[in-house]
Every structure is written in structure tokens, then in C-alpha cells.
Amino acid sequence: MIRKITSLTKVFLKDINKNFRIFNKKKKIKLKDSSFFWMIIIIAIAVAFLSYKAIGFFNSIGQPRIFLTIYFIIFTILLMFEIILVTINVLFFSKEMEYVLPMPISPIELLLSKYAVLLVMTYITELIFSVVPLTIYGLLTHISLLYFLVMPIVLIIFPALLITVISTITIVLMRVLKIIKNRNIYQTVITSILLVIVLLFEGIIMSTFTMERPVDIEQQNISQEQAEQQAIEMYNKMGKGFLIVNPSIEILAVPNNILAVLINFGKLIIYNLVGLSVFLLIGKKIYLKNILIGTTNIVSNKNFISEVKYETKNKNIRKAYIEKDFKQLVRNPTFFMQLVFPVILILASILIIGNFIIPSIDTMIQSDETIKNTLKNIEFNTNMVCIILCALQVLFSMSAISLTAISREGKSAIFLKYMPVDLYKQFLYKNVLQIVLNFIVSIIVLGIIYFLISRIGIIEILLIFAISIFMNFINSFLMLVVDLRRPIMDWDSEYQITKNNPNKMFQYVFMIIMVLALMYLTKILGELSVILSLGIQLLIFMFIFVMINVLIRKNIEKLFSKIN
Amino acid sequence: MIELKNISKSYKKNEKVINNINLKIEDGEIFGFLGPNGAGKTTTIKMITGILNVDEGDIFIDGKSITKQPVEAKKQMGLVPDNPEMFLKLKGIEYLNFIADMYQVPVNLRKSKIEELSKEFNMYEALSSKIETYSHGMKQKIIVIGVLLHNPKNWILDEPMTGLDPKASFILKEKMRQHAKQGNTVFFSTHVLEVAEKLCDKIAIIDNGKIVLLGDYNKIKEEFNNNTSLEEIFMEITKNDKKNN
């Protein structure tokens, strides 16, 4: 049985990660030549830098444990989103199921191998987002060697319960909603329901926590230590909501207390065993009955003739082209969930977390007179502009619509070459969806900032918006250039070009370059007034955009040469 | 009319996959392009349609150069590619409307054409379904309808019969004959030599990137032996060519 599960897991993983060259033993690609290797390094460096700063801050106020709590809560939410976005595909929409089902495999074996696939996928996320910050935490807080022994075990156990819970809900939802005949709508609806549940869960936990925080520190006249202690208690209450968060933190915060470590490991194991049992029990009863929903296409026999919708007027080429691109993006659930959903989720999370966590940190800061006075004197300046533009740049890098604009077409991308439409015009049309999404992101983010920060003026916000438009163009154009030069047209699973696309490395590198450039500009323009500095930055980005555009136009034939 | 003048193409340095090809397909002709696997048929078709760049020489579609006036040249032709796995998330009708928009087919004309062609190919009732739900043959049919919809003067078809049921295959052959009779050009590649034998006015056999046989099919037959089938000619020619190499 174990051999069967191992073999099945290997096959499923290979199917998902065909393009994940880091695992390709046959080709013997050197690690340094793998895009994924460099992508992981880049992300790890960014995560390390942020963690180092955050741990340093909490260490300086003598509360390093707050880092662990905030980190684990954010990481749990991130993992939940990640698991939701992949679970339905792994369980129900993987193409290899049709070949596997006729084999003598029991439902339990199938469920366990799918569970193992999800575990491996989350371990990769952990490798990128957890190992580095937790190691830095261990080093900076000078915890004993035991910490480094228990840390890998915690990370191995940590995602297991999240996977079983989300997978069980997915299987049940698939059963309940099987009335929906369109598999694409089906997939999107179930994922949306799961994501809304997580967001609501996130909101409820956060609001419970904020309801209990002291309303006015000065009125209550409590000390800084008391305020900090209250904050820790509140974060602990939040952690409890996630069940696995607090035991994991307890193990990592006091690794020398063997008894506490054993008790908390015991708790984690019990939670996981219960989760796994429920998953297997429910899965055994209903998983196989629904498994083919995702792989079967149904040609409906209803009254077609009345449904044939002819166009009533001629559309111009631009409109028809963009409309086709839009339909192909939103009708493919994997594309939609991997390329558009993350941005929506991040915006929703920013709203929820921003609404609840920032006021609590603010409460702590208010109790410290020095920090309070420093904050009072802060005016809206170029540094704040830099932070806003960097945040926008990070958000622009979350979506890979332009980065996959050609690859998404797959083998049919050759139509770009034989359609009687100018290649440069096609280049522009292919950018529209990404630009529109980023445009909406800019409006929402800047809108929130405008209403939150009373010191910011309308001219400043309009200038930032104008800069963000050119940053948006530059981002989108360059990412499309990357896809044109390194298109992945021969794919079987959409994951090969969304989640596992090695070209994403360029997106992250570009993001870092832009952030560094913005920081440098802030440094050299810092002495000027905010409006003047913004005006100069706007001119610089306009110039860069014009240059990029000229170069693209000049080399358009060369850019499209890889599509053949 | 399609004209290839001194066409060469290489993927690697000093390794020409297409070596100095010259072809002229006159109006009113059905031209069969034959050759073994890997001989250079698809590469040639990709160059004619502008999918691949030409390294040497030039290609003219009704006198328009594919390298210098690509958009104008592409307007004069329609391609049925060898792989019909295209635009899977669009419904059949959406795909046809998209093609009609790209080639600027007027609304009234497209409506009657879609109705006529889809009924002829037995596809009308499937137009409201997404292409991903179609069988291989249906996908092939919708692509063929897409090409016939804008009625280009030059049809280029890469292995068009693959996956088509006998009825659709018959209709397509009839359409090809009709199109050529109206003074247009049909250029198609195929592995099915019987189809080429029955359909073509002219054939060319390509092997190792070179045209090894070109001419009027009836004259070729006379040259060999009137009883020799195209299959036998093909085997003879490609065998000789291998010996020469």
C-alpha cells in the first residue's frame, strides 16, 4: 500500500510540476541554471530582509515573541489561500485521473497520495517563506540549539491540518454543488466559497481581538508593560482561533521546556490525526463518486438553435481581440484563480488586517511617549511617497497576466502570427487586461490612503496616481516582453505557466529593481518639496516608458520570433 | 497566387531545413505538398503564413510580400493548421465571430455564411458549446469553417483531413475543388496520397528540405508509367533521394 501511494504521489507531482526544472534529474540541469533556484533565492533574500527588520524591532522592545505570533497568523492565512487555490485542482481537475481510475487503487490510497501531493506543495511554500525567517528568529533571539531541532518538526506538522480541513470542505462542497453542470463555473464557485469562508474567519478573529483591546491608553492610565502584555494576550487569542498556531508558537518560543514541548507536539499530533481521520472517512464515502466531474466535458443537448448568438454589429479588431483575451482568462478557472484572485485576496486582506492589526500596534506605540512624539512630528514627505509607490509595485508584481499572455494561448499562440493584425498592435492589445487590473489596484490603494492619511493633498495623490500609471505600463510591457522571449506554449497543465512558471523570476527581479530605484530616487530627491519630487519622478518614469516603447516597436518582429 | 522565391531556412547554423525552394501555385490550382515526416512541409507552410521568418528569399501572396507587407499578405489567405486545439474556452459561435471580426466580414454576410457552413458540416447545433467540449473532428471542422467564413483567395491547409469523418472529408474536398474552380488557390499538405492523387492538379514532393519532384500530376504519371500509383512514385522518389544523400 505504501509503495502504491509513493508511486502515485510521484506521478501526480510530476504531472503538476512538469516545468519545475529544479526536480528534473534526467536533464541534469545545474542548480545555478535553474530559474526556480534563483527565484527561490530572490524571494528568500527579500523575506530574510523583512524578517530581520521585524525581529530586530520586536527584539528592541523586548517582545520577540510578538513576531512569532504575528508571523504565524499571517503565514497561516497565506497557506490557507495557497491550499485553497490548489486543492480543487489537485483533487478533482488533474488530467491524469482518467488514466489512474481504471487501475486497482483503493479510495484511501488515492486520497492519501493526493494528500501527500498537497503536503509536498505546501512544503515548498514553507521552504521559501518559513525556513529563513524562523532561522533568523532563532539566531537573533539566541535561543538554544533545541530550537533548531524542533523547528523542522514543527514545519513538517504545521500545514497538515490546514490541508485536511480544506480538502474535506472541498470534497463536501463538490458533492453539494454538483447541480452546477459547467465545470469551469463549478471550480470558480467552490474556490470562491472557500476563500470567502477564510476571509470571514480572518475578519471574525481580528474583530474579536480588537473588541478586547484597550480603547484609550491615556484614559486608562496603564503602563507600557501592561499595554504590551495585553497585546500579547490578544495575539494569543487570535492564534487560538487557528488551533495549530499557538502550540507551534509555544514549542518555538520555549524549546527548552521539554514538558511543554511534548504537550504541544501531542496537541498538534492529535489535531492532525482527527483531521486526517475525518478527511479519509468523508473522502472514502463521497470522493470517488465526484472525482470525474472535473475531467468530463459534457456537450449539453438543450435547444442550441435559439442560443446561437450572432453579432448584431461589426466589432473593431481591437475590441474583438481584447474581448477574446478576457473570455479566455476568466473562463479558465486556473488562470482566473492564479492570476486575478491573488490580487483580490491581497486587497481584501489588506483591508481586514489594516483595519484590525494596525490600530493595535498603534495602541502599543501610543503608550510610549518617545515614539508618540516622533510620530506626531512626521509630515507627509517623499519617504511616505516612496513607501506607497513600493507597495503599488509589489501589488503589480502579484499578478502575472502579462507575463503569461502568450503562454496562456498554448499551441494556438501561432494564430498571433498568421492573423492579419499588425504585431505591434497585438502587443498593445495583449497588455490591456494587466494594465486594467493594475489600474483598479492603484485606484483602490490610493483611495484608501487618501481617506486614511489626512495630511495628504489631492495634488499629491493625483501625481502619485500618474506615476503609478507609468509604472503600470512599464511593468506590463516588460513582463510581456519576457513572455514573448521565453514563451511556454507546450503545456498540459495550466499550473506549468501560472504557479510553476520559471519566468516569474523576472517579475520578482524587476520588482526588486523598481523598489531599489524608488528608494534611490527618494534619497536624491528627498530635500525637495513633495510636489516637485513627485513631478520629477513622473517625468523620469514617462521617459523610461517612452524609451521602452520605442525599443519594442523597433524590435517587434524579433520579439515575436519565438512563436512558431 | 502563391509564389516562393529561393526560400531557405535553418534552425541551426549551416543546417538548412529548407534549401532554396522555388514554387509557383497559380490561380485555379489545387496544389498538393507531399513529403515524409520531418521533410520540411510544416516549416514551409509556416513560412508562407508568416508564422516563421524566412532566412533567404521571399514569399508572395497575390503579389504581396509576406516579409515586407505581412498584414496585406495575410489578408489574402486562410490557414487550417495541423493542430486544431485552439481557443478551447470560446464557444464555437464566439470563435467564428472573432474570426469574422479579425477579417472584417460584414455582419449580414457572416450570419448567412455561418449558418450555411455550420449546417453543411453538421456543426450548427454545437455552435453554442465551448470548443473544449468538441471531439477532435469537430475542432477540425470549426477551424475549417473559420477559414471558409472569410473566403480568402488563397487557402492553405496543413493535413486538413486528419480527424474528419467521411462526410466532412468529402464536403471539404468538394469545397476545395469549388474554390479552385472559382479561380482561387488551394495549397495543402497531406500524408494521404490517395487524396492528393484524386484532388490535385499539381504536386510537389519535398524531402530533406529540397523539392525532389514538382509538376502536373498527369504529366508525372506519364513520365513514370501510367499505371504507377502516386504511392509508388512517392516511395521511388524518396528512396532515390535518400540514396543520393
Side-chain angles (χ1 to χ4, degrees), chain A residues 521-546:
Chain A
L521 279 176
T522 309
K523 198 180 165 193
I524 56 170
L525 302 172
E527 299 299 315
L528 303 173
S529 74
V530 175
I531 290 180
L532 188 59
S533 152
L534 280 170
I536 294 171
Q537 288 191 56
L538 179 61
L539 286 174
I540 291 171
F541 281 110
M542 273 169 82
F543 176 73
I544 295 171
F545 170 66
V546 171

PDB file of all heavy atoms in Angstrom, chain A residues 521-546:
ATOM      1  N   LEU A 521      15.702  57.163  -5.790  1.00  0.00           N
ATOM      2  CA  LEU A 521      15.105  58.444  -6.191  1.00  0.00           C
ATOM      3  C   LEU A 521      14.698  59.248  -4.960  1.00  0.00           C
ATOM      4  O   LEU A 521      14.899  60.463  -4.895  1.00  0.00           O
ATOM      5  CB  LEU A 521      13.876  58.198  -7.064  1.00  0.00           C
ATOM      6  CG  LEU A 521      14.139  57.890  -8.538  1.00  0.00           C
ATOM      7  CD1 LEU A 521      12.837  57.570  -9.255  1.00  0.00           C
ATOM      8  CD2 LEU A 521      14.824  59.074  -9.219  1.00  0.00           C
ATOM      9  N   THR A 522      14.141  58.550  -3.971  1.00  0.00           N
ATOM     10  CA  THR A 522      13.721  59.227  -2.744  1.00  0.00           C
ATOM     11  C   THR A 522      14.926  59.849  -2.045  1.00  0.00           C
ATOM     12  O   THR A 522      14.856  60.951  -1.512  1.00  0.00           O
ATOM     13  CB  THR A 522      13.037  58.214  -1.811  1.00  0.00           C
ATOM     14  OG1 THR A 522      12.041  57.546  -2.550  1.00  0.00           O
ATOM     15  CG2 THR A 522      12.422  58.896  -0.601  1.00  0.00           C
ATOM     16  N   LYS A 523      16.031  59.103  -2.104  1.00  0.00           N
ATOM     17  CA  LYS A 523      17.239  59.595  -1.432  1.00  0.00           C
ATOM     18  C   LYS A 523      17.747  60.880  -2.106  1.00  0.00           C
ATOM     19  O   LYS A 523      18.073  61.853  -1.432  1.00  0.00           O
ATOM     20  CB  LYS A 523      18.317  58.507  -1.486  1.00  0.00           C
ATOM     21  CG  LYS A 523      19.418  58.708  -0.484  1.00  0.00           C
ATOM     22  CD  LYS A 523      20.432  57.604  -0.590  1.00  0.00           C
ATOM     23  CE  LYS A 523      21.693  58.002   0.145  1.00  0.00           C
ATOM     24  NZ  LYS A 523      22.811  57.137  -0.165  1.00  0.00           N
ATOM     25  N   ILE A 524      17.785  60.859  -3.437  1.00  0.00           N
ATOM     26  CA  ILE A 524      18.357  62.041  -4.108  1.00  0.00           C
ATOM     27  C   ILE A 524      17.364  63.210  -4.216  1.00  0.00           C
ATOM     28  O   ILE A 524      17.762  64.340  -4.379  1.00  0.00           O
ATOM     29  CB  ILE A 524      18.960  61.696  -5.501  1.00  0.00           C
ATOM     30  CG1 ILE A 524      17.916  61.031  -6.396  1.00  0.00           C
ATOM     31  CG2 ILE A 524      20.191  60.839  -5.386  1.00  0.00           C
ATOM     32  CD1 ILE A 524      18.392  60.903  -7.833  1.00  0.00           C
ATOM     33  N   LEU A 525      16.063  62.892  -4.133  1.00  0.00           N
ATOM     34  CA  LEU A 525      15.074  63.973  -4.244  1.00  0.00           C
ATOM     35  C   LEU A 525      14.484  64.358  -2.883  1.00  0.00           C
ATOM     36  O   LEU A 525      13.572  65.178  -2.805  1.00  0.00           O
ATOM     37  CB  LEU A 525      13.934  63.567  -5.190  1.00  0.00           C
ATOM     38  CG  LEU A 525      14.320  63.176  -6.621  1.00  0.00           C
ATOM     39  CD1 LEU A 525      13.120  62.625  -7.380  1.00  0.00           C
ATOM     40  CD2 LEU A 525      14.892  64.377  -7.371  1.00  0.00           C
ATOM     41  N   GLY A 526      15.017  63.740  -1.835  1.00  0.00           N
ATOM     42  CA  GLY A 526      14.457  63.913  -0.508  1.00  0.00           C
ATOM     43  C   GLY A 526      14.420  65.335   0.007  1.00  0.00           C
ATOM     44  O   GLY A 526      13.542  65.708   0.794  1.00  0.00           O
ATOM     45  N   GLU A 527      15.368  66.162  -0.461  1.00  0.00           N
ATOM     46  CA  GLU A 527      15.453  67.534   0.038  1.00  0.00           C
ATOM     47  C   GLU A 527      14.388  68.439  -0.595  1.00  0.00           C
ATOM     48  O   GLU A 527      14.066  69.500  -0.073  1.00  0.00           O
ATOM     49  CB  GLU A 527      16.840  68.122  -0.261  1.00  0.00           C
ATOM     50  CG  GLU A 527      18.004  67.370   0.405  1.00  0.00           C
ATOM     51  CD  GLU A 527      17.906  67.386   1.915  1.00  0.00           C
ATOM     52  OE1 GLU A 527      17.632  68.466   2.472  1.00  0.00           O
ATOM     53  OE2 GLU A 527      18.050  66.305   2.524  1.00  0.00           O
ATOM     54  N   LEU A 528      13.875  68.022  -1.735  1.00  0.00           N
ATOM     55  CA  LEU A 528      12.912  68.872  -2.459  1.00  0.00           C
ATOM     56  C   LEU A 528      11.523  68.768  -1.833  1.00  0.00           C
ATOM     57  O   LEU A 528      11.257  67.864  -1.039  1.00  0.00           O
ATOM     58  CB  LEU A 528      12.826  68.441  -3.927  1.00  0.00           C
ATOM     59  CG  LEU A 528      14.132  68.433  -4.722  1.00  0.00           C
ATOM     60  CD1 LEU A 528      13.909  67.831  -6.096  1.00  0.00           C
ATOM     61  CD2 LEU A 528      14.663  69.857  -4.842  1.00  0.00           C
ATOM     62  N   SER A 529      10.640  69.673  -2.260  1.00  0.00           N
ATOM     63  CA  SER A 529       9.257  69.584  -1.767  1.00  0.00           C
ATOM     64  C   SER A 529       8.608  68.346  -2.378  1.00  0.00           C
ATOM     65  O   SER A 529       9.042  67.856  -3.436  1.00  0.00           O
ATOM     66  CB  SER A 529       8.475  70.838  -2.175  1.00  0.00           C
ATOM     67  OG  SER A 529       8.191  70.770  -3.547  1.00  0.00           O
ATOM     68  N   VAL A 530       7.560  67.833  -1.716  1.00  0.00           N
ATOM     69  CA  VAL A 530       6.935  66.587  -2.163  1.00  0.00           C
ATOM     70  C   VAL A 530       6.428  66.718  -3.604  1.00  0.00           C
ATOM     71  O   VAL A 530       6.672  65.845  -4.446  1.00  0.00           O
ATOM     72  CB  VAL A 530       5.775  66.200  -1.215  1.00  0.00           C
ATOM     73  CG1 VAL A 530       5.041  64.974  -1.744  1.00  0.00           C
ATOM     74  CG2 VAL A 530       6.303  65.915   0.180  1.00  0.00           C
ATOM     75  N   ILE A 531       5.768  67.844  -3.902  1.00  0.00           N
ATOM     76  CA  ILE A 531       5.176  68.007  -5.238  1.00  0.00           C
ATOM     77  C   ILE A 531       6.253  68.065  -6.310  1.00  0.00           C
ATOM     78  O   ILE A 531       6.152  67.401  -7.349  1.00  0.00           O
ATOM     79  CB  ILE A 531       4.264  69.250  -5.280  1.00  0.00           C
ATOM     80  CG1 ILE A 531       3.020  68.949  -4.425  1.00  0.00           C
ATOM     81  CG2 ILE A 531       3.859  69.608  -6.706  1.00  0.00           C
ATOM     82  CD1 ILE A 531       2.010  70.040  -4.333  1.00  0.00           C
ATOM     83  N   LEU A 532       7.334  68.803  -6.029  1.00  0.00           N
ATOM     84  CA  LEU A 532       8.427  68.891  -7.004  1.00  0.00           C
ATOM     85  C   LEU A 532       9.059  67.517  -7.215  1.00  0.00           C
ATOM     86  O   LEU A 532       9.317  67.092  -8.358  1.00  0.00           O
ATOM     87  CB  LEU A 532       9.469  69.898  -6.512  1.00  0.00           C
ATOM     88  CG  LEU A 532      10.582  70.247  -7.515  1.00  0.00           C
ATOM     89  CD1 LEU A 532       9.986  70.828  -8.793  1.00  0.00           C
ATOM     90  CD2 LEU A 532      11.580  71.207  -6.900  1.00  0.00           C
ATOM     91  N   SER A 533       9.289  66.824  -6.106  1.00  0.00           N
ATOM     92  CA  SER A 533       9.893  65.491  -6.188  1.00  0.00           C
ATOM     93  C   SER A 533       8.997  64.551  -6.996  1.00  0.00           C
ATOM     94  O   SER A 533       9.480  63.790  -7.845  1.00  0.00           O
ATOM     95  CB  SER A 533      10.111  64.960  -4.770  1.00  0.00           C
ATOM     96  OG  SER A 533      10.072  63.583  -4.748  1.00  0.00           O
ATOM     97  N   LEU A 534       7.675  64.631  -6.749  1.00  0.00           N
ATOM     98  CA  LEU A 534       6.741  63.779  -7.494  1.00  0.00           C
ATOM     99  C   LEU A 534       6.753  64.121  -8.983  1.00  0.00           C
ATOM    100  O   LEU A 534       6.721  63.230  -9.837  1.00  0.00           O
ATOM    101  CB  LEU A 534       5.321  63.948  -6.941  1.00  0.00           C
ATOM    102  CG  LEU A 534       5.009  63.172  -5.661  1.00  0.00           C
ATOM    103  CD1 LEU A 534       3.670  63.617  -5.092  1.00  0.00           C
ATOM    104  CD2 LEU A 534       4.987  61.681  -5.921  1.00  0.00           C
ATOM    105  N   GLY A 535       6.822  65.425  -9.283  1.00  0.00           N
ATOM    106  CA  GLY A 535       6.857  65.868 -10.682  1.00  0.00           C
ATOM    107  C   GLY A 535       8.074  65.313 -11.401  1.00  0.00           C
ATOM    108  O   GLY A 535       7.981  64.809 -12.527  1.00  0.00           O
ATOM    109  N   ILE A 536       9.226  65.375 -10.719  1.00  0.00           N
ATOM    110  CA  ILE A 536      10.464  64.867 -11.343  1.00  0.00           C
ATOM    111  C   ILE A 536      10.351  63.352 -11.560  1.00  0.00           C
ATOM    112  O   ILE A 536      10.701  62.832 -12.620  1.00  0.00           O
ATOM    113  CB  ILE A 536      11.696  65.229 -10.475  1.00  0.00           C
ATOM    114  CG1 ILE A 536      11.886  66.753 -10.468  1.00  0.00           C
ATOM    115  CG2 ILE A 536      12.951  64.536 -10.991  1.00  0.00           C
ATOM    116  CD1 ILE A 536      12.919  67.256  -9.499  1.00  0.00           C
ATOM    117  N   GLN A 537       9.823  62.642 -10.552  1.00  0.00           N
ATOM    118  CA  GLN A 537       9.679  61.181 -10.685  1.00  0.00           C
ATOM    119  C   GLN A 537       8.741  60.838 -11.851  1.00  0.00           C
ATOM    120  O   GLN A 537       8.986  59.893 -12.598  1.00  0.00           O
ATOM    121  CB  GLN A 537       9.134  60.582  -9.390  1.00  0.00           C
ATOM    122  CG  GLN A 537      10.173  60.603  -8.275  1.00  0.00           C
ATOM    123  CD  GLN A 537       9.728  59.774  -7.089  1.00  0.00           C
ATOM    124  OE1 GLN A 537       9.436  58.602  -7.221  1.00  0.00           O
ATOM    125  NE2 GLN A 537       9.696  60.386  -5.920  1.00  0.00           N
ATOM    126  N   LEU A 538       7.689  61.650 -11.984  1.00  0.00           N
ATOM    127  CA  LEU A 538       6.735  61.405 -13.077  1.00  0.00           C
ATOM    128  C   LEU A 538       7.432  61.534 -14.429  1.00  0.00           C
ATOM    129  O   LEU A 538       7.279  60.690 -15.312  1.00  0.00           O
ATOM    130  CB  LEU A 538       5.566  62.400 -12.973  1.00  0.00           C
ATOM    131  CG  LEU A 538       4.495  62.302 -14.056  1.00  0.00           C
ATOM    132  CD1 LEU A 538       3.818  60.948 -14.045  1.00  0.00           C
ATOM    133  CD2 LEU A 538       3.440  63.384 -13.877  1.00  0.00           C
ATOM    134  N   LEU A 539       8.250  62.592 -14.549  1.00  0.00           N
ATOM    135  CA  LEU A 539       8.972  62.794 -15.811  1.00  0.00           C
ATOM    136  C   LEU A 539       9.932  61.637 -16.089  1.00  0.00           C
ATOM    137  O   LEU A 539      10.036  61.164 -17.225  1.00  0.00           O
ATOM    138  CB  LEU A 539       9.749  64.119 -15.766  1.00  0.00           C
ATOM    139  CG  LEU A 539       8.893  65.384 -15.903  1.00  0.00           C
ATOM    140  CD1 LEU A 539       9.742  66.620 -15.689  1.00  0.00           C
ATOM    141  CD2 LEU A 539       8.218  65.423 -17.284  1.00  0.00           C
ATOM    142  N   ILE A 540      10.611  61.184 -15.033  1.00  0.00           N
ATOM    143  CA  ILE A 540      11.568  60.072 -15.198  1.00  0.00           C
ATOM    144  C   ILE A 540      10.840  58.811 -15.697  1.00  0.00           C
ATOM    145  O   ILE A 540      11.264  58.176 -16.661  1.00  0.00           O
ATOM    146  CB  ILE A 540      12.313  59.786 -13.873  1.00  0.00           C
ATOM    147  CG1 ILE A 540      13.255  60.953 -13.550  1.00  0.00           C
ATOM    148  CG2 ILE A 540      13.108  58.484 -13.958  1.00  0.00           C
ATOM    149  CD1 ILE A 540      13.875  60.896 -12.172  1.00  0.00           C
ATOM    150  N   PHE A 541       9.730  58.470 -15.058  1.00  0.00           N
ATOM    151  CA  PHE A 541       9.000  57.251 -15.460  1.00  0.00           C
ATOM    152  C   PHE A 541       8.396  57.392 -16.858  1.00  0.00           C
ATOM    153  O   PHE A 541       8.353  56.424 -17.614  1.00  0.00           O
ATOM    154  CB  PHE A 541       7.932  56.893 -14.426  1.00  0.00           C
ATOM    155  CG  PHE A 541       8.515  56.203 -13.226  1.00  0.00           C
ATOM    156  CD1 PHE A 541       8.570  56.821 -11.992  1.00  0.00           C
ATOM    157  CD2 PHE A 541       9.041  54.922 -13.339  1.00  0.00           C
ATOM    158  CE1 PHE A 541       9.134  56.200 -10.894  1.00  0.00           C
ATOM    159  CE2 PHE A 541       9.607  54.280 -12.243  1.00  0.00           C
ATOM    160  CZ  PHE A 541       9.651  54.919 -11.014  1.00  0.00           C
ATOM    161  N   MET A 542       7.949  58.616 -17.181  1.00  0.00           N
ATOM    162  CA  MET A 542       7.421  58.847 -18.540  1.00  0.00           C
ATOM    163  C   MET A 542       8.519  58.598 -19.568  1.00  0.00           C
ATOM    164  O   MET A 542       8.304  57.927 -20.573  1.00  0.00           O
ATOM    165  CB  MET A 542       6.911  60.293 -18.680  1.00  0.00           C
ATOM    166  CG  MET A 542       5.477  60.471 -18.249  1.00  0.00           C
ATOM    167  SD  MET A 542       5.041  62.210 -18.143  1.00  0.00           S
ATOM    168  CE  MET A 542       4.686  62.579 -19.812  1.00  0.00           C
ATOM    169  N   PHE A 543       9.705  59.138 -19.273  1.00  0.00           N
ATOM    170  CA  PHE A 543      10.829  58.993 -20.198  1.00  0.00           C
ATOM    171  C   PHE A 543      11.190  57.514 -20.376  1.00  0.00           C
ATOM    172  O   PHE A 543      11.359  57.027 -21.496  1.00  0.00           O
ATOM    173  CB  PHE A 543      12.034  59.790 -19.658  1.00  0.00           C
ATOM    174  CG  PHE A 543      13.276  59.621 -20.487  1.00  0.00           C
ATOM    175  CD1 PHE A 543      13.361  60.243 -21.733  1.00  0.00           C
ATOM    176  CD2 PHE A 543      14.326  58.830 -20.050  1.00  0.00           C
ATOM    177  CE1 PHE A 543      14.507  60.076 -22.513  1.00  0.00           C
ATOM    178  CE2 PHE A 543      15.463  58.658 -20.825  1.00  0.00           C
ATOM    179  CZ  PHE A 543      15.560  59.293 -22.058  1.00  0.00           C
ATOM    180  N   ILE A 544      11.256  56.795 -19.243  1.00  0.00           N
ATOM    181  CA  ILE A 544      11.601  55.356 -19.311  1.00  0.00           C
ATOM    182  C   ILE A 544      10.561  54.622 -20.157  1.00  0.00           C
ATOM    183  O   ILE A 544      10.901  53.812 -21.025  1.00  0.00           O
ATOM    184  CB  ILE A 544      11.680  54.733 -17.894  1.00  0.00           C
ATOM    185  CG1 ILE A 544      12.835  55.352 -17.116  1.00  0.00           C
ATOM    186  CG2 ILE A 544      11.857  53.212 -17.968  1.00  0.00           C
ATOM    187  CD1 ILE A 544      12.869  54.978 -15.639  1.00  0.00           C
ATOM    188  N   PHE A 545       9.290  54.951 -19.940  1.00  0.00           N
ATOM    189  CA  PHE A 545       8.232  54.268 -20.677  1.00  0.00           C
ATOM    190  C   PHE A 545       8.347  54.536 -22.182  1.00  0.00           C
ATOM    191  O   PHE A 545       8.248  53.618 -23.001  1.00  0.00           O
ATOM    192  CB  PHE A 545       6.847  54.702 -20.164  1.00  0.00           C
ATOM    193  CG  PHE A 545       5.724  54.225 -21.030  1.00  0.00           C
ATOM    194  CD1 PHE A 545       5.452  52.874 -21.151  1.00  0.00           C
ATOM    195  CD2 PHE A 545       4.970  55.127 -21.768  1.00  0.00           C
ATOM    196  CE1 PHE A 545       4.432  52.418 -21.979  1.00  0.00           C
ATOM    197  CE2 PHE A 545       3.947  54.683 -22.595  1.00  0.00           C
ATOM    198  CZ  PHE A 545       3.682  53.320 -22.699  1.00  0.00           C
ATOM    199  N   VAL A 546       8.586  55.806 -22.517  1.00  0.00           N
ATOM    200  CA  VAL A 546       8.704  56.153 -23.943  1.00  0.00           C
ATOM    201  C   VAL A 546       9.868  55.390 -24.573  1.00  0.00           C
ATOM    202  O   VAL A 546       9.745  54.818 -25.667  1.00  0.00           O
ATOM    203  CB  VAL A 546       8.874  57.687 -24.129  1.00  0.00           C
ATOM    204  CG1 VAL A 546       9.213  58.034 -25.571  1.00  0.00           C
ATOM    205  CG2 VAL A 546       7.593  58.401 -23.711  1.00  0.00           C
TER     206      VAL A 546
END
